[in-house]
């Protein structure tokens, strides 16, 4: 999806290709949950995410909609599901009381990609940190 932010605003401004080496760990994750808060409707789900939810949580995507964990939004003219961020600071519905992902084993692909993002241009993409 398109986000109206500049690359410099959310990264070091560098783009990486498939053959580039980059140090991209999260320092063991200190649990600040900044990556699970305030993401708006940007954590879009794909069919494999729905499969992961079904397998890992034992819940179909319809049930997760009914429980208020997901929502639908129009992205580039297409209606797509995404993780619902709500409450103070826009917390992911799956964030637990300890500020950790409550579905870590079954989390969506975009969450697995973090701290990398994809930058699409001219029919191809590169990664940014
Ligand atoms: S991975 Fe997320 S929760 Fe962990 S330290 Fe980084 S921003 Fe915070
Ligand atoms: S599913 Fe887990 S990792 Fe992904 S945004 Fe929600 S709490 Fe964070």
């Amino acid at each position: 999806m398109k986000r109206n932010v500049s690359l410099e605003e959310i990264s070091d401004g560098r783009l990486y290709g498939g053959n580039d080496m980059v140090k991209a760990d999260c320092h063991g994750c200190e649990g600040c949950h900044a990556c699970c808060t305030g993401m708006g409707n940007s954590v879009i789900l794909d069919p494999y995410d729905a499969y992961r939810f079904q397998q890992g949580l034992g819940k179909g995507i319809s049930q997760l909609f009914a429980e208020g964990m997901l929502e639908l939004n129009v992205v580039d003219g297409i209606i797509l599901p995404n993780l619902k961020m709500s409450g103070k600071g826009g917390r992911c519905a799956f964030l637990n009381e300890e500020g950790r992902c409550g579905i870590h084993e079954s989390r969506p692909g975009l969450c697995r990609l973090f701290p990398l993002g994809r930058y699409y241009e001219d029919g191809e993409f590169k990664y940014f940190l």
Side-chain angles (χ1 to χ4, degrees):
M1 72 177 289
K2 289 178 187 167
R3 292 187 68 186
N4 292 320
V5 291
S6 69
L7 201 56
E8 288 71 23
E9 205 179 316
I10 58 171
S11 75
D12 60 8
R14 295 181 62 188
L15 293 174
Y16 302 92
N19 293 322
D20 291 328
M21 297 287 283
V22 59
K23 194 173 187 307
D25 71 283
C26 296
H27 306 288
C29 182
E30 293 161 359
C32 70
H33 60 264
C35 56
C36 306
T37 307
M39 295 298 157
N41 60 357
S42 64
V43 188
I44 293 171
L45 307 172
D46 63 23
Y48 197 68
D49 294 326
Y51 173 78
R52 278 199 198 97
F53 289 153
Q54 182 67 63
Q55 294 298 305
L57 310 179
K59 293 180 181 181
I61 202 155
S62 310
Q63 187 175 347
L64 292 170
F65 272 113
E67 292 178 2
M69 314 305 267
L70 314 177
E71 63 182 6
L72 290 172
N73 277 290
V74 179
V75 180
D76 302 333
I78 304 170
I79 300 171
L80 292 173
N82 61 267
L83 294 183
K84 189 170 178 180
M85 306 269 162
S86 58
K88 192 179 174 193
R91 292 167 62 94
C92 173
F94 291 111
L95 204 53
N96 66 20
E97 292 298 315
E98 289 77 44
R100 298 282 182 172
C101 179
I103 58 163
H104 194 256
E105 293 297 316
S106 309
R107 69 197 188 285
L110 278 179
C111 301
R112 291 165 190 270
L113 191 62
F114 183 84
L116 294 176
R118 286 192 187 133
Y119 182 88
Y120 290 84
E121 192 173 47
D122 300 329
E124 56 183 35
F125 69 84
K126 294 198 170 176
Y127 292 99
F128 63 89
L129 270 174

